[in-house]
Amino acid sequence: SQVYGMEVVELPGETYEDIGGLEKQITEIREAVELPMTRPELFANIGITPPKGVLLYGPPGTGKTLLAKAVAHETHAAFLHTVGSELVQKYIGEGARLVRELFDLAREKAPSIVFIDEIDAIGASRTEAMTSGDREVQRTLMQLLAAMDGFEQRGDVKIIGATNRIDILDAALLRPGRFDRIIEIPLPDTEGRFAILQVHTRGMNIDTSVDMMEVARLTEGRNGADLNAICMEAGMFAIRQEHTKVCQNDFIMALSKFRYDFERESRLPT
Ligand code: ATP
């Protein structure tokens, strides 16, 4: 359902099975977010406070949202999805109110996971010269910090932030008791791309001629979102050619189409 400023998914369908690679990152997030939700007594017995929030950082399209949704699925938690830039592009005073409402709703829906994508849009470190827009962003950040500090350690509301600009984040966000775990989600290497291709071709009718490791090698620099699109495109070529299975040549065609698209994209002025 769509609540003003956020999207609420009662139970995301994504699971860890839908994530290619990122094994180390999955283990880390399970320890930091899933374990405190499913086995809080482990933390109570040992006498440590579980992390309140985890920050995922890395380039776009690498699976940060996917990972956060899979954690929500695994813990049977509601998934509250918001985007930093949308929280502050509203009217003066709205950002802080939206953050307050977000956390009220998270408590109401608990167990829940609050996912804040593009957290740098509200959490960039401050500069000297502040415009009124900056002050609005500032108020929103203050409200977020207060909300994170304010909620009790019951452990049934967790916050996952995501950014591809960790370098500009305000240190206040990264203090203990806030985002106290930081997990890098990098671009996939060849093994990672192979694993992602496996995920996205799982439901496809793939001919035995396809050398998926070769496809992985030919897609250096591509992210998970690109690989998903390449698999789709290979399927489209197969349909056009009236193949009954997707064969190696369909992948080669898809790759050359994408290579052209990517090159054109990178030539576009930014
Ligand atoms: P952004 O920073 O742009 O929000 P993100 O890192 O959150 O990006 P996702 O939204 O999780 O990226 O990924 C977009 C899509 O790309 C996913 O829905 C999935 O289809 C595919 N994808 C990305 N990474 C992976 C992965 N590791 N395994 C499988 N699919 C992936």
Side-chain angles (χ1 to χ4, degrees):
S1 63
Q2 188 83 39
V3 180
Y4 185 43
M6 70 195 95
E7 187 202 1
V8 183
V9 183
E10 298 291 338
L11 181 65
E14 287 84 349
T15 72
Y16 297 125
E17 301 281 289
D18 298 317
I19 303 172
L22 302 178
E23 289 86 5
K24 194 168 64 77
Q25 288 84 353
I26 292 174
T27 305
E28 271 189 75
I29 204 165
R30 293 190 76 164
E31 239 178 61
V33 182
E34 195 182 309
L35 206 55
M37 293 180 95
T38 54
R39 314 250 346 247
E41 75 283 359
L42 292 178
F43 292 81
N45 287 345
I46 295 293
I48 58 167
T49 316
K52 267 186 197 168
V54 171
L55 183 72
L56 307 177
Y57 78 95
T62 47
K64 295 182 287 299
T65 309
L66 196 57
L67 188 52
K69 283 183 173 167
V71 176
H73 176 95
E74 202 63 33
T75 53
H76 307 283
F79 187 73
L80 281 68
H81 190 167
T82 87
V83 181
S85 58
E86 287 177 13
L87 288 175
V88 291
Q89 276 169 11
K90 312 280 174 184
Y91 303 100
I92 295 293
E94 292 279 273
R97 185 173 66 77
L98 289 175
V99 168
R100 231 172 8 248
E101 284 177 5
L102 174 65
F103 281 84
D104 286 346
L105 191 64
R107 262 186 294 262
E108 195 182 297
K109 298 267 179 193
S112 58
I113 288 176
V114 174
F115 180 67
I116 310 177
D117 203 359
E118 295 177 27
I119 197 162
D120 47 279
I122 45 174
S125 64
R126 284 144 274 188
T127 49
E128 299 77 51
M130 278 222 280
T131 65
S132 65
D134 294 338
R135 277 190 288 275
E136 170 63 4
V137 171
Q138 179 81 39
R139 272 190 291 270
T140 308
L141 174 59
M142 288 305 163
Q143 186 62 49
L144 175 63
L145 297 176
M148 288 186 85
D149 293 345
F151 73 77
E152 20 16 271
Q153 282 295 348
R154 280 210 326 254
D156 54 2
V157 178
K158 293 285 174 205
I159 310 161
I160 302 179
T163 181
N164 34 50
R165 293 300 313 276
I166 194 171
D167 54 310
I168 60 166
L169 279 194
D170 196 310
L173 270 173
L174 308 177
R175 294 227 178 90
R178 291 169 183 168
F179 289 104
D180 29 26
R181 281 297 179 96
I182 299 175
I183 303 176
E184 183 184 5
I185 312 290
L187 270 181
D189 58 10
T190 310
E191 293 294 323
R193 292 194 300 278
F194 180 72
I196 294 169
L197 287 164
Q198 296 291 346
V199 167
H200 289 288
T201 53
R202 208 165 39 199
M204 290 171 67
N205 209 341
I206 303 288
D207 190 75
T208 47
S209 71
V210 176
D211 180 353
M212 213 53 92
M213 201 59 197
E214 180 64 8
V215 179
R217 275 192 292 268
L218 291 170
T219 45
E220 172 88 60
R222 297 290 143 231
N223 63 24
D226 297 335
L227 295 170
N228 184 18
I230 286 166
C231 292
M232 274 275 288
E233 200 57 44
M236 290 306 297
F237 274 106
I239 290 171
R240 264 180 236 130
Q241 304 295 309
E242 298 183 29
H243 295 159
T244 51
K245 294 181 174 193
V246 186
C247 47
Q248 181 79 356
N249 198 46
D250 297 321
F251 275 94
I252 301 301
M253 296 291 282
L255 287 180
S256 54
K257 176 181 190 300
F258 273 90
R259 189 157 306 114
Y260 174 75
D261 284 351
F262 291 138
E263 277 167 13
R264 201 179 42 177
E265 230 169 76
S266 61
R267 277 202 306 272
L268 288 176
T270 44

